[in-house]
Structure formats: C-alpha cells, structure tokens
Amino acid sequence: MPEAAFESEDVDELRDSYLGGGCHALALAVAERTGWDLAIVWAAKGRRTEIAHAMVVVPGDEELYLDVGGIRGLPEILDDLQIDPDQEEAVLEGPVGPERIHALTRGRHAHRRFCAIGPELAEHAAETADRILRAIWISPNSLKTCCP
C-alpha cells in the first residue's frame, strides 16, 4: 500500500487488523466499491485446510490482487501471511463473488470460516477501503459512476 497516504503506526495497525482476521471485511468493502471479483487463499495445515486470506482480484491481471498491502502478487501475500509454499500448500479459490465470502462466515468448523462481520468491523473496513483506493489513485465514486 502506498504508505504516504497513512501514518506509519496506522499502517502497522491496519496490516495487523486485515492480515490477522478482518481481511474478508476489507475485501468485501473494496469489491463493493469497485465491482471487482474476490479470491480466497486456503492453506493446508497438516491434514486440515484453513482459510488464510481474502482479497480482491485486480482486473486485467488475474495474478495481481489488492488487499491491505496494496496491489501485489500471491507470493508477496503468502510471505505476509507467513505461509511457506515449501512447507504448506496454499490453494487459491477464485474468482468468487461476495456471496461466497458471506457463506464462509457461517458453518461449524472455525478453521473453515471467516469471523462474522459486525457493524464496527464493517465501518472500519469501509473507511480503510476508501483510503486504500485513494492511495492507489482510484476514486470509489468514479468507479460507481463510470464502471460496471
């Protein structure tokens, strides 16, 4: 993420928040503003597969994603998530729509779902999505009026 748009301690706090459990709320907020597809990273932990991250697919390049770290490739995202592809298998699911993310907030297996998005998280994610989109020179308002 272009850090010039954020205070340095703010960047650390945002990265902790959206790499440590709220990524799906941020991804949904960005997708709502842009209309872009979403993707999910699953990580195999022994015999169990866990949800690791949600992000937005950058249109025109299905190998670039937008998350709290800005626009970047999967290897950099996996590094941020501390997933070593040599030690554990990472599987990308996508592109998916918002309904898939919402479906993954429900279910009985905690390792296979995202936490529920309460009003506070939704509001913070919306504000953060606007800031990230402004930081990468994309106006949320122009996307709503000009683009599908």
Side-chain angles (χ1 to χ4, degrees), residues 38-89:
L38 299 150
I40 302 164
V41 176
W42 294 83
K45 306 259 186 192
R47 294 180 1 165
R48 181 164 82 170
T49 302
E50 299 180 353
I51 292 176
H53 196 56
M55 61 227 170
V56 180
V57 179
V58 175
D61 192 334
E62 291 183 10
E63 293 186 16
L64 288 178
Y65 306 92
L66 175 61
D67 71 350
V68 71
I71 295 175
R72 57 211 186 124
L74 188 58
E76 187 177 356
I77 292 169
L78 294 178
D79 188 51
D80 262 2
L81 296 170
Q82 299 178 344
I83 295 174
D84 181 352
D86 294 331
Q87 301 294 321
E88 52 193 315
E89 183 181 3

Side-chain angles (χ1 to χ4, degrees), residues 38 65 70 83 96 101 132 137:
L38 299 150
Y65 306 92
I83 295 174
V96 300
I101 301 289
I132 289 172
W137 305 104

